[in-house]
PDB file of all heavy atoms in Angstrom:
ATOM      1  N   GLN O 202     -16.543 -20.038   7.242  1.00 95.00           N
ATOM      2  CA  GLN O 202     -15.532 -19.503   6.328  1.00 95.00           C
ATOM      3  C   GLN O 202     -14.374 -18.895   7.092  1.00 95.00           C
ATOM      4  O   GLN O 202     -14.550 -18.302   8.163  1.00 95.00           O
ATOM      5  CB  GLN O 202     -16.154 -18.453   5.402  1.00 95.00           C
ATOM      6  CG  GLN O 202     -17.176 -19.026   4.435  1.00 95.00           C
ATOM      7  CD  GLN O 202     -17.744 -17.986   3.495  1.00 95.00           C
ATOM      8  OE1 GLN O 202     -18.044 -16.870   3.895  1.00 95.00           O
ATOM      9  NE2 GLN O 202     -17.875 -18.345   2.222  1.00 95.00           N
ATOM     10  N   PHE O 203     -13.176 -19.040   6.507  1.00 96.00           N
ATOM     11  CA  PHE O 203     -11.970 -18.477   7.098  1.00 96.00           C
ATOM     12  C   PHE O 203     -11.706 -17.063   6.564  1.00 96.00           C
ATOM     13  O   PHE O 203     -11.971 -16.767   5.394  1.00 96.00           O
ATOM     14  CB  PHE O 203     -10.743 -19.325   6.754  1.00 96.00           C
ATOM     15  CG  PHE O 203     -10.673 -20.648   7.464  1.00 96.00           C
ATOM     16  CD1 PHE O 203     -10.083 -21.740   6.851  1.00 96.00           C
ATOM     17  CD2 PHE O 203     -11.170 -20.805   8.741  1.00 96.00           C
ATOM     18  CE1 PHE O 203      -9.988 -22.967   7.494  1.00 96.00           C
ATOM     19  CE2 PHE O 203     -11.092 -22.019   9.405  1.00 96.00           C
ATOM     20  CZ  PHE O 203     -10.499 -23.098   8.780  1.00 96.00           C
ATOM     21  N   GLY O 204     -11.175 -16.225   7.433  1.00 97.00           N
ATOM     22  CA  GLY O 204     -10.693 -14.905   7.035  1.00 97.00           C
ATOM     23  C   GLY O 204      -9.515 -14.527   7.909  1.00 97.00           C
ATOM     24  O   GLY O 204      -9.258 -15.171   8.932  1.00 97.00           O
ATOM     25  N   PHE O 205      -8.772 -13.504   7.530  1.00 97.00           N
ATOM     26  CA  PHE O 205      -7.725 -12.983   8.416  1.00 97.00           C
ATOM     27  C   PHE O 205      -8.234 -11.678   9.014  1.00 97.00           C
ATOM     28  O   PHE O 205      -8.984 -10.943   8.374  1.00 97.00           O
ATOM     29  CB  PHE O 205      -6.375 -12.828   7.725  1.00 97.00           C
ATOM     30  CG  PHE O 205      -6.407 -12.437   6.271  1.00 97.00           C
ATOM     31  CD1 PHE O 205      -6.188 -11.128   5.885  1.00 97.00           C
ATOM     32  CD2 PHE O 205      -6.648 -13.383   5.272  1.00 97.00           C
ATOM     33  CE1 PHE O 205      -6.199 -10.759   4.551  1.00 97.00           C
ATOM     34  CE2 PHE O 205      -6.672 -13.023   3.926  1.00 97.00           C
ATOM     35  CZ  PHE O 205      -6.449 -11.700   3.567  1.00 97.00           C
ATOM     36  N   ALA O 206      -7.851 -11.414  10.267  1.00 98.00           N
ATOM     37  CA  ALA O 206      -8.498 -10.341  11.026  1.00 98.00           C
ATOM     38  C   ALA O 206      -7.498  -9.307  11.540  1.00 98.00           C
ATOM     39  O   ALA O 206      -6.384  -9.644  11.956  1.00 98.00           O
ATOM     40  CB  ALA O 206      -9.262 -10.932  12.201  1.00 98.00           C
ATOM     41  N   PHE O 207      -7.942  -8.052  11.529  1.00 98.00           N
ATOM     42  CA  PHE O 207      -7.148  -6.903  11.963  1.00 98.00           C
ATOM     43  C   PHE O 207      -7.886  -6.174  13.088  1.00 98.00           C
ATOM     44  O   PHE O 207      -9.054  -6.445  13.364  1.00 98.00           O
ATOM     45  CB  PHE O 207      -6.941  -5.928  10.791  1.00 98.00           C
ATOM     46  CG  PHE O 207      -6.306  -6.550   9.589  1.00 98.00           C
ATOM     47  CD1 PHE O 207      -7.070  -7.277   8.675  1.00 98.00           C
ATOM     48  CD2 PHE O 207      -4.946  -6.418   9.353  1.00 98.00           C
ATOM     49  CE1 PHE O 207      -6.484  -7.849   7.553  1.00 98.00           C
ATOM     50  CE2 PHE O 207      -4.355  -6.989   8.232  1.00 98.00           C
ATOM     51  CZ  PHE O 207      -5.122  -7.707   7.339  1.00 98.00           C
ATOM     52  N   ARG O 208      -7.187  -5.216  13.716  1.00 97.00           N
ATOM     53  CA  ARG O 208      -7.865  -4.353  14.675  1.00 97.00           C
ATOM     54  C   ARG O 208      -8.953  -3.549  13.971  1.00 97.00           C
ATOM     55  O   ARG O 208      -8.824  -3.226  12.784  1.00 97.00           O
ATOM     56  CB  ARG O 208      -6.860  -3.416  15.352  1.00 97.00           C
ATOM     57  CG  ARG O 208      -6.016  -4.097  16.425  1.00 97.00           C
ATOM     58  CD  ARG O 208      -5.057  -3.105  17.080  1.00 97.00           C
ATOM     59  NE  ARG O 208      -3.960  -2.743  16.185  1.00 97.00           N
ATOM     60  CZ  ARG O 208      -2.868  -3.486  15.998  1.00 97.00           C
ATOM     61  NH1 ARG O 208      -2.736  -4.630  16.633  1.00 97.00           N
ATOM     62  NH2 ARG O 208      -1.912  -3.090  15.178  1.00 97.00           N
ATOM     63  N   LYS O 209      -9.977  -3.206  14.694  1.00 96.00           N
ATOM     64  CA  LYS O 209     -11.122  -2.503  14.111  1.00 96.00           C
ATOM     65  C   LYS O 209     -10.715  -1.186  13.448  1.00 96.00           C
ATOM     66  O   LYS O 209     -11.306  -0.772  12.451  1.00 96.00           O
ATOM     67  CB  LYS O 209     -12.181  -2.224  15.188  1.00 96.00           C
ATOM     68  CG  LYS O 209     -12.898  -3.465  15.670  1.00 96.00           C
ATOM     69  CD  LYS O 209     -13.912  -3.987  14.667  1.00 96.00           C
ATOM     70  CE  LYS O 209     -15.178  -3.159  14.667  1.00 96.00           C
ATOM     71  NZ  LYS O 209     -16.229  -3.761  13.809  1.00 96.00           N
ATOM     72  N   ASP O 210      -9.699  -0.504  14.024  1.00 95.00           N
ATOM     73  CA  ASP O 210      -9.295   0.799  13.480  1.00 95.00           C
ATOM     74  C   ASP O 210      -8.162   0.702  12.466  1.00 95.00           C
ATOM     75  O   ASP O 210      -7.621   1.711  12.030  1.00 95.00           O
ATOM     76  CB  ASP O 210      -8.901   1.756  14.614  1.00 95.00           C
ATOM     77  CG  ASP O 210      -7.744   1.231  15.453  1.00 95.00           C
ATOM     78  OD1 ASP O 210      -7.291   0.093  15.204  1.00 95.00           O
ATOM     79  OD2 ASP O 210      -7.303   1.955  16.364  1.00 95.00           O
ATOM     80  N   ASP O 211      -7.806  -0.521  12.071  1.00 96.00           N
ATOM     81  CA  ASP O 211      -6.702  -0.713  11.119  1.00 96.00           C
ATOM     82  C   ASP O 211      -7.230  -0.949   9.700  1.00 96.00           C
ATOM     83  O   ASP O 211      -6.751  -1.826   8.983  1.00 96.00           O
ATOM     84  CB  ASP O 211      -5.821  -1.895  11.546  1.00 96.00           C
ATOM     85  CG  ASP O 211      -4.504  -1.422  12.160  1.00 96.00           C
ATOM     86  OD1 ASP O 211      -4.226  -0.217  12.092  1.00 96.00           O
ATOM     87  OD2 ASP O 211      -3.773  -2.263  12.697  1.00 96.00           O
ATOM     88  N   LYS O 212      -8.200  -0.161   9.292  1.00 96.00           N
ATOM     89  CA  LYS O 212      -8.802  -0.342   7.975  1.00 96.00           C
ATOM     90  C   LYS O 212      -7.782  -0.137   6.852  1.00 96.00           C
ATOM     91  O   LYS O 212      -7.815  -0.833   5.833  1.00 96.00           O
ATOM     92  CB  LYS O 212      -9.980   0.618   7.784  1.00 96.00           C
ATOM     93  CG  LYS O 212     -10.766   0.377   6.494  1.00 96.00           C
ATOM     94  CD  LYS O 212     -11.975   1.283   6.398  1.00 96.00           C
ATOM     95  CE  LYS O 212     -12.818   0.931   5.171  1.00 96.00           C
ATOM     96  NZ  LYS O 212     -12.089   1.008   3.909  1.00 96.00           N
ATOM     97  N   GLN O 213      -6.858   0.806   7.034  1.00 96.00           N
ATOM     98  CA  GLN O 213      -5.870   1.068   5.989  1.00 96.00           C
ATOM     99  C   GLN O 213      -5.002  -0.163   5.742  1.00 96.00           C
ATOM    100  O   GLN O 213      -4.757  -0.552   4.596  1.00 96.00           O
ATOM    101  CB  GLN O 213      -4.999   2.265   6.370  1.00 96.00           C
ATOM    102  CG  GLN O 213      -4.016   2.657   5.270  1.00 96.00           C
ATOM    103  CD  GLN O 213      -3.185   3.877   5.648  1.00 96.00           C
ATOM    104  OE1 GLN O 213      -3.133   4.270   6.796  1.00 96.00           O
ATOM    105  NE2 GLN O 213      -2.527   4.468   4.654  1.00 96.00           N
ATOM    106  N   LEU O 214      -4.545  -0.792   6.811  1.00 96.00           N
ATOM    107  CA  LEU O 214      -3.728  -1.997   6.672  1.00 96.00           C
ATOM    108  C   LEU O 214      -4.551  -3.139   6.092  1.00 96.00           C
ATOM    109  O   LEU O 214      -4.097  -3.856   5.198  1.00 96.00           O
ATOM    110  CB  LEU O 214      -3.139  -2.400   8.020  1.00 96.00           C
ATOM    111  CG  LEU O 214      -2.306  -3.689   8.033  1.00 96.00           C
ATOM    112  CD1 LEU O 214      -1.119  -3.591   7.090  1.00 96.00           C
ATOM    113  CD2 LEU O 214      -1.844  -4.020   9.449  1.00 96.00           C
TER     114      LEU O 214
END
Side-chain angles (χ1 to χ4, degrees):
Q202 294 182 318
F203 288 148
F205 34 100
F207 304 82
R208 283 181 287 279
K209 290 285 283 187
D210 60 356
D211 256 351
K212 187 176 186 302
Q213 184 178 15
L214 177 60

